[in-house]
Amino acid sequence: MSKKLTSRAEDYSKWYNELVVKADLAENSAVRGCMVIKPYGFAIWEKMQAELDKMFKETGHQNAYFPLFVPKSLFEAEEKNAEGFAKECAIVTHYRLQNDPNKKGKLRVDPEAKLEEELIVRPTSEAIIWNTYRGWIQSYRDLPLLINQWANVVRWEMRTRLFLRTAEFLWQEGHTAHETKDEAIAETKLMNNVYATFVENFMAIPVIQGVKTESERFAGAEETFCIEALMQDGKALQAGTSHFLGQNFAKAFDVKYANKEGKQDYVWATSWGVSTRLMGALIMTHSDDNGLVLPPSLAPNQVVIVPIYKSEEDLNAITEVANGILSNLRGKNISVKFDNRTTHRPGAKFAQHELQGVPLRIAIGPKDLENGTVEIARRDTLTKQTVNLEELVETVEGLLKEIQEALFNKALDFRNTHITEVDTFEEFKDVLETKTGFISAHWDGTNETEEKIKELTKATIRCIPLDMKEVEGVCVYSGNPSKGRVLFAKAY
Amino acid sequence: MSKKLTSRAEDYSKWYNELVVKADLAENSAVRGCMVIKPYGFAIWEKMQAELDKMFKETGHQNAYFPLFVPKSLFEAEEKNAEGFAKECAIVTHYRLQNDPNKKGKLRVDPEAKLEEELIVRPTSEAIIWNTYRGWIQSYRDLPLLINQWANVVRWEMRTRLFLRTAEFLWQEGHTAHETKDEAIAETKLMNNVYATFVENFMAIPVIQGVKTESERFAGAEETFCIEALMQDGKALQAGTSHFLGQNFAKAFDVKYANKEGKQDYVWATSWGVSTRLMGALIMTHSDDNGLVLPPSLAPNQVVIVPIYKSEEDLNAITEVANGILSNLRGKNISVKFDNRTTHRPGAKFAQHELQGVPLRIAIGPKDLENGTVEIARRDTLTKQTVNLEELVETVEGLLKEIQEALFNKALDFRNTHITEVDTFEEFKDVLETKTGFISAHWDGTNETEEKIKELTKATIRCIPLDMKEVEGVCVYSGNPSKGRVLFAKAY
């Protein structure tokens, strides 16, 4: 914490990498592309998990756990899904080490312990789960099957960045089975909505709901719904996806049910997921050159109290006041920490809590003792105010609510001023080079145009917004007819 | 659920295997030795996790997350640990699949995508964690470091059984670092105590705390504390372990700290864990020939209400009463479900809830409506009573408490009557063949004797009890001097 962070203006990417490490959120490990999530970062992820898990259960889902490994033959069963993930998976081929006969004290893979069939470390669990569902589903009485799993998954990414793209990451994956196509589509939309509500209300990140184009769709899906957020550098980030899988997996794994008339039919499927990638979105949406800025809903400590004292007598008196505050705030379900470490000076504590994004800091010094006051500093605005002790609880409650809203509104303003409608390809390229953000433009609906634009500008279609207005227009690239504007952006 | 369970007397092992599957707790998967934890089983595991997590946090621990993979070279660093786990691990050697040139539509491991260094799927995380701690610990200010991880681990077991021994299992692993040996030993004992408290109070399973002999110790530990439980078939089950690791890992991974005088020293370590194996202990301790019996603390539904009706009019009236009960019980934090499925008859519902171990079943029929009563059935004793609606909440609260205590006391009685003191090897063998359970016997303290007894009887030393009385005696096998009685048993 000795050196200052690189500023966002100077090097946004470097700022992010430094911040993740310095704020004690995560770090790279000895394993290529795999991260260690440090206690402070994990405490934020736990808060996300708890809230999402509650929302999943409120919408009728149950948790379960499926194997880490997928036998290669199962992995191959759904062709598109297999092709989509084959290039980036870790493969277990052996099951034993032995003492290396050539190097004392070293181990080597036992060549005799080769698996008959290789095991894929799950990059996603559709294959193993649908193979299991075949045994769980016989009739309409078994439907809908609404299951979620919290798990680690592995995708052998070549370029990795903490939280945003790592070889192993943590996520949840919902996998549901339904009687009808309509019901499955309704579930797909419902869960995309749950994600949008969570990300907006808890993470204070505004999102646009939409569907993906065919080329950006999940491998094996018929339709992919998504929520798209905008980071401070003007790049988009896909924050969650919900897939309508049609009957593809049911057919690949022969999962049929008897309907009320006793007729056999394949079930309809969905899957949906969010991951530790959301940590990246959280960091990049709100934080500033001084460090992390956390919305109160997700802050491990919403308030920290720092004593400022020279004598032990002062510290004792401050401790007494602080204990009263701790008990009052905790009584209101506000998480608060008294930072009475004797190993650090107040200045160092201030710097640390600022870097770690604690929403409110309360400082208590000898003058405060005399006056019956404390000083409250807001992390988001870096403003301070002096508050009487009697009004403290109410003030803190009000400020936490205000900060949560202010962070959302600030991000929403930024997002809204970074959606630019363009009608020519020159404008399109100009926006990408100057203002960045989302570009709202007409598109002719073909893969070819999408691919060509990507090749020329690195911008992709983030989504076809659910609230897209149907208007006649001409494609910004090809000049062919278009039925509405879609959102392009460079993306994480 | 059509066929009855095999009885325990007939075939205990078969009874267990059937029960796990029929009660919807878990099942085998397509991956050798790996299980699927079904929603009902997972709901019980989630309750265990929540309570343990709370206890860990109350004792000052924080959660974090470390990589799934351990590079082979790190794995080798602590020699004993490496040897202890080398024989049974899954090894990732490649990172890509490709289209198989010989079989259309199939994939094969891309031979070009071979890893430079093999990755071990963690069988336990000491190596990767201690390699990380080197960067986290510089001075006494960084100590103690008290971290826990909830994770999946893989041990390539040859003979697997649902929950008791599976290739992949879920667990938590605590890993702590301390300034002094005494502090680390105190932590080791503290966490063994936390486990004992949890298993006794929440799982209603009595345990004996003790230390392991050298041959049964965790690979790389200097002392292993454990809690040992006794199953209904008279076999012991190790329910949790807490290891004092000395400075072994600190030395292997060069983790030093500067003490208050600025002198460098290696830190002292502990690790401790419990796993989904606890599910096996839960099932085998309390359940009976009718199915699962769950202590109220861990039951996903503590109470289930079953309506008994012929007319829709009756159902409506029963529903009104049931809704009142639901709201009253939930107000007391009692989890309760109204089983108003129209697809199943009351008899089928009774059988299902009995099989799944719901502690209390409330039945409401037309006569109950007339009398303002309900019928309550206890799962543990299979007894029924009629209760007036006004007294229902109080009765349910009382019964849940009573059941929790009764299950513990019943298991405690069984355990206590299955600890047999023997003084000759003839008696020793006789107990194993007739009564089973723990055998309390003098042992000369040598590996050789322990090994010989194991070879002759399959019984191992489960632990040297912490409350062992120091008394002079002679070893039950060798006749050599002994300082106290240790506990032998056949074990899971």
Side-chain angles (χ1 to χ4, degrees):
Chain A
M1 266 172 299
S2 47
K3 282 182 204 159
K4 274 200 76 158
L5 277 179
T6 298
S7 74
R8 289 164 294 174
E10 203 182 322
D11 187 337
Y12 189 82
S13 176
K14 202 172 166 200
W15 164 82
Y16 174 81
N17 294 340
E18 285 180 11
L19 177 52
V20 171
V21 173
K22 291 193 176 187
D24 272 341
L25 301 173
E27 63 183 37
N28 286 308
S29 76
V31 190
R32 202 196 133 283
C34 291
M35 66 181 158
V36 172
I37 306 179
K38 300 179 81 174
Y40 192 67
F42 201 82
I44 298 170
W45 174 243
E46 278 183 322
K47 288 199 165 237
M48 291 190 196
Q49 278 191 299
E51 183 61 27
L52 280 168
D53 199 70
K54 193 171 136 249
M55 293 175 88
F56 297 157
K57 283 173 177 160
E58 281 168 359
T59 44
H61 303 85
Q62 293 179 293
N63 288 329
Y65 189 76
F66 297 86
L68 171 68
F69 301 126
V70 187
K72 187 166 73 73
S73 57
L74 287 187
F75 192 74
E76 290 165 336
E78 212 290 328
E79 202 179 333
K80 278 189 190 165
N81 200 247
E83 273 184 19
F85 289 100
K87 286 178 188 151
E88 42 178 44
C89 54
I91 305 158
V92 176
T93 57
H94 291 73
Y95 59 88
R96 194 191 305 133
L97 290 172
Q98 61 179 193
N99 292 322
D100 192 327
N102 305 313
K103 290 178 211 152
K104 201 170 174 295
K106 296 286 175 183
L107 299 166
R108 68 164 193 186
V109 176
D110 181 352
E112 310 253 301
K114 193 171 186 307
L115 292 172
E116 277 182 43
E117 181 178 7
E118 295 89 354
L119 299 174
I120 316 305
V121 181
R122 63 183 163 212
T124 180
S125 301
E126 276 76 9
I128 188 81
I129 287 181
W130 278 90
N131 185 60
T132 307
Y133 281 2
R134 187 175 52 249
W136 293 6
I137 297 170
Q138 272 89 43
S139 91
Y140 70 93
R141 288 184 199 85
D142 304 316
L143 298 174
L145 186 60
L146 305 172
I147 289 184
N148 176 62
Q149 162 170 272
W150 290 95
N152 52 344
V153 287
V154 172
R155 297 179 186 175
W156 208 261
E157 304 279 358
M158 280 302 141
R159 287 183 172 193
T160 61
R161 286 187 74 189
L162 293 168
F163 291 124
L164 295 169
R165 198 172 290 277
T166 47
E168 181 193 16
F169 57 89
L170 303 183
W171 80 344
Q172 60 67 218
E173 46 183 326
H175 297 273
T176 71
H178 306 265
E179 284 185 67
T180 66
K181 180 175 178 177
D182 284 353
E183 215 186 272
I185 291 176
E187 166 82 6
T188 314
K189 288 179 181 170
L190 170 70
M191 297 322 288
N192 204 54
N193 251 313
V194 163
Y195 289 152
T197 305
F198 168 75
V199 172
E200 297 205 329
N201 294 357
F202 276 80
M203 304 184 66
I205 302 175
V207 292
I208 292 166
Q209 290 199 52
V211 293
K212 290 288 182 189
T213 58
E214 199 191 332
S215 70
E216 297 277 329
R217 212 176 272 159
F218 175 75
E222 301 206 340
E223 187 87 275
T224 289
F225 289 73
C226 63
I227 52 172
E228 295 285 328
L230 193 66
M231 303 297 100
Q232 289 180 61
D233 62 347
K235 281 169 82 174
L237 185 145
Q238 174 182 301
T241 47
S242 182
H243 315 291
F244 169 61
L245 305 172
Q247 294 178 312
N248 295 339
F249 284 90
K251 285 178 179 164
F253 291 94
D254 195 30
V255 184
K256 287 183 187 169
Y257 77 103
N259 67 17
K260 290 188 185 87
E261 289 78 41
K263 235 188 85 184
Q264 294 279 318
D265 198 4
Y266 291 108
V267 301
W268 297 84
T270 85
S271 71
W272 28 274
V274 297
S275 74
T276 35
R277 194 160 208 242
L278 284 178
M279 291 287 294
L282 178 72
I283 297 159
M284 288 201 294
T285 301
H286 304 303
S287 301
D288 63 25
D289 293 347
N290 299 303
L292 203 59
V293 174
L294 289 174
S297 303
L298 292 176
N301 298 306
Q302 296 174 309
V303 181
V304 65
I305 304 173
V306 178
I308 298 167
Y309 60 96
K310 282 183 183 147
S311 68
E312 192 150 338
E313 202 187 330
D314 279 353
L315 177 59
N316 291 339
I318 292 170
T319 302
E320 205 172 304
V321 174
N323 284 339
I325 298 173
L326 289 176
S327 134
N328 288 338
L329 291 181
R330 284 176 185 155
K332 296 283 182 185
N333 265 323
I334 294 166
S335 57
V336 51
K337 185 179 164 176
F338 182 35
D339 185 358
N340 58 355
R341 289 175 295 171
T342 53
T343 43
H344 294 72
R345 291 166 176 240
K349 293 179 184 178
F350 282 23
Q352 184 190 341
H353 300 308
E354 195 168 285
L355 184 62
Q356 295 197 306
V358 182
L360 290 177
R361 180 187 73 220
I362 295 177
I364 314 177
K367 278 227 171 109
D368 291 308
L369 287 179
E370 278 171 36
N371 302 334
T373 59
V374 300
E375 186 195 73
I376 305 189
R378 262 175 82 152
R379 174 62 186 90
D380 63 331
T381 54
L382 299 172
T383 52
K384 294 175 189 173
Q385 63 187 101
T386 299
V387 179
N388 286 321
L389 275 175
E390 307 87 68
E391 294 157 13
L392 183 60
V393 173
E394 209 180 322
T395 307
V396 166
E397 282 192 297
L399 282 172
L400 290 176
K401 202 159 165 261
E402 210 175 306
I403 294 170
Q404 184 80 25
E405 286 170 10
L407 289 179
F408 179 79
N409 288 330
K410 192 179 165 192
L412 184 65
D413 278 351
F414 178 84
R415 202 273 312 274
N416 287 345
T417 55
H418 284 78
I419 303 178
T420 312
E421 284 201 359
V422 307
D423 291 311
T424 70
F425 200 54
E426 284 312 304
E427 284 178 279
F428 190 106
K429 288 185 286 187
D430 184 57
V431 170
L432 282 180
E433 268 163 42
T434 54
K435 198 182 167 193
T436 70
F438 287 118
I439 297 174
S440 173
H442 279 285
W443 165 59
D444 62 17
T446 67
N447 279 346
E448 294 70 36
T449 297
E450 190 182 3
E451 195 52 46
K452 198 72 197 168
I453 292 176
K454 185 177 175 182
E455 201 182 301
L456 293 169
T457 67
K458 289 185 182 156
T460 50
I461 300 178
R462 300 321 303 152
C463 71
I464 303 161
L466 293 190
D467 61 2
M468 183 189 81
K469 285 186 206 115
E470 286 217 14
V471 283
E472 303 286 325
V474 293
C475 174
V476 71
Y477 179 76
S478 69
N480 290 334
S482 151
K483 282 177 187 163
R485 291 173 182 275
V486 299
L487 289 179
F488 290 85
K490 289 189 190 171
Y492 279 96
Chain B
M1 268 172 300
S2 45
K3 283 182 205 157
K4 273 199 82 158
L5 277 179
T6 297
S7 74
R8 288 163 295 172
E10 203 181 324
D11 187 337
Y12 190 82
S13 175
K14 199 171 170 201
W15 164 82
Y16 174 82
N17 294 341
E18 283 179 11
L19 177 52
V20 171
V21 173
K22 289 195 178 185
D24 271 341
L25 300 174
E27 63 182 38
N28 286 308
S29 76
V31 189
R32 205 198 130 282
C34 292
M35 67 181 157
V36 171
I37 306 179
K38 299 180 81 172
Y40 192 67
F42 202 81
I44 299 169
W45 174 243
E46 277 182 324
K47 287 198 167 236
M48 292 189 195
Q49 278 191 296
E51 183 61 27
L52 280 168
D53 198 70
K54 193 172 134 249
M55 293 175 87
F56 297 157
K57 282 173 179 159
E58 280 167 0
T59 43
H61 302 85
Q62 293 179 294
N63 288 329
Y65 189 75
F66 297 86
L68 171 67
F69 301 125
V70 186
K72 187 166 71 71
S73 57
L74 287 188
F75 193 71
E76 290 164 338
E78 214 289 327
E79 206 180 331
K80 279 191 190 162
N81 201 244
E83 275 184 16
F85 290 100
K87 286 178 188 148
E88 42 179 46
C89 53
I91 305 160
V92 176
T93 56
H94 291 74
Y95 59 88
R96 193 193 303 137
L97 293 172
Q98 61 179 194
N99 291 322
D100 192 328
N102 306 316
K103 290 177 212 153
K104 202 169 172 295
K106 297 284 175 183
L107 298 167
R108 67 162 193 187
V109 176
D110 182 350
E112 310 254 302
K114 194 172 185 309
L115 292 173
E116 277 181 42
E117 182 179 5
E118 296 89 353
L119 298 174
I120 317 303
V121 181
R122 61 182 165 214
T124 179
S125 300
E126 276 77 8
I128 188 82
I129 287 181
W130 278 91
N131 185 59
T132 307
Y133 280 2
R134 187 175 53 249
W136 293 7
I137 296 170
Q138 273 88 43
S139 92
Y140 70 93
R141 288 185 199 84
D142 304 317
L143 298 173
L145 187 59
L146 305 173
I147 289 183
N148 175 62
Q149 162 170 275
W150 290 95
N152 52 346
V153 286
V154 172
R155 297 178 187 177
W156 208 261
E157 304 280 359
M158 279 302 139
R159 288 182 172 194
T160 61
R161 285 188 75 190
L162 292 169
F163 289 126
L164 295 170
R165 197 172 291 278
T166 48
E168 181 193 15
F169 57 89
L170 303 184
W171 80 343
Q172 61 66 219
E173 46 183 326
H175 297 272
T176 70
H178 306 265
E179 285 184 66
T180 65
K181 181 176 177 177
D182 284 353
E183 216 186 89
I185 291 176
E187 166 82 6
T188 314
K189 290 179 181 171
L190 171 71
M191 298 321 289
N192 204 55
N193 250 314
V194 163
Y195 289 153
T197 305
F198 168 75
V199 172
E200 297 205 327
N201 294 356
F202 275 81
M203 302 183 67
I205 302 175
V207 293
I208 292 166
Q209 289 199 52
V211 294
K212 289 287 183 190
T213 58
E214 199 190 331
S215 71
E216 296 277 330
R217 211 175 273 158
F218 176 74
E222 301 205 341
E223 187 87 278
T224 288
F225 289 75
C226 63
I227 52 173
E228 295 286 328
L230 193 67
M231 304 296 99
Q232 290 180 61
D233 62 347
K235 282 170 80 175
L237 185 144
Q238 174 182 299
T241 47
S242 182
H243 315 290
F244 168 61
L245 305 172
Q247 294 178 313
N248 295 342
F249 285 90
K251 284 177 181 165
F253 291 96
D254 196 29
V255 185
K256 288 182 187 168
Y257 77 105
N259 68 17
K260 287 186 186 87
E261 289 77 39
K263 238 187 84 184
Q264 295 278 317
D265 196 6
Y266 291 110
V267 302
W268 297 84
T270 85
S271 71
W272 28 273
V274 297
S275 74
T276 35
R277 194 160 208 243
L278 284 178
M279 292 287 295
L282 179 73
I283 297 159
M284 288 202 294
T285 301
H286 303 303
S287 301
D288 62 23
D289 293 347
N290 298 304
L292 203 60
V293 174
L294 288 175
S297 301
L298 292 176
N301 298 306
Q302 297 174 310
V303 181
V304 66
I305 304 173
V306 178
I308 298 167
Y309 59 95
K310 283 187 181 146
S311 68
E312 191 149 340
E313 201 186 333
D314 278 353
L315 176 60
N316 291 339
I318 292 169
T319 301
E320 204 172 306
V321 174
N323 284 337
I325 298 173
L326 288 176
S327 134
N328 288 338
L329 291 181
R330 284 178 185 153
K332 297 283 183 185
N333 266 322
I334 293 167
S335 57
V336 49
K337 185 178 162 177
F338 182 35
D339 185 356
N340 58 357
R341 288 176 295 169
T342 53
T343 44
H344 295 71
R345 290 167 178 240
K349 293 179 185 179
F350 282 21
Q352 184 189 342
H353 300 308
E354 195 167 283
L355 184 62
Q356 295 197 306
V358 181
L360 290 176
R361 180 187 75 220
I362 295 176
I364 313 176
K367 278 226 170 110
D368 292 308
L369 287 179
E370 276 172 37
N371 302 335
T373 58
V374 301
E375 186 195 73
I376 305 189
R378 263 175 82 153
R379 173 63 186 89
D380 62 333
T381 54
L382 299 172
T383 52
K384 295 176 189 172
Q385 63 185 105
T386 300
V387 179
N388 286 322
L389 274 176
E390 308 88 67
E391 294 156 13
L392 183 61
V393 173
E394 210 181 323
T395 306
V396 167
E397 282 191 298
L399 283 172
L400 291 175
K401 204 161 162 263
E402 209 175 306
I403 294 170
Q404 183 80 26
E405 286 169 10
L407 290 179
F408 179 79
N409 289 330
K410 192 178 166 193
L412 184 65
D413 278 351
F414 178 83
R415 202 272 312 274
N416 287 345
T417 55
H418 283 79
I419 302 179
T420 312
E421 284 201 0
V422 307
D423 291 311
T424 70
F425 199 54
E426 284 312 306
E427 284 180 277
F428 190 106
K429 287 185 287 187
D430 184 57
V431 171
L432 281 179
E433 268 164 42
T434 53
K435 197 180 167 193
T436 71
F438 286 117
I439 298 174
S440 174
H442 279 284
W443 165 59
D444 62 17
T446 68
N447 278 346
E448 294 69 38
T449 297
E450 190 182 3
E451 195 52 45
K452 197 72 198 167
I453 293 177
K454 186 177 173 182
E455 203 183 301
L456 292 169
T457 67
K458 287 186 183 158
T460 51
I461 300 179
R462 300 320 305 150
C463 69
I464 302 163
L466 293 191
D467 61 2
M468 183 188 79
K469 284 185 209 118
E470 286 218 14
V471 283
E472 302 287 325
V474 293
C475 175
V476 72
Y477 180 74
S478 68
N480 290 333
S482 151
K483 284 181 185 157
R485 290 173 182 277
V486 300
L487 290 179
F488 289 85
K490 289 191 190 170
Y492 278 95

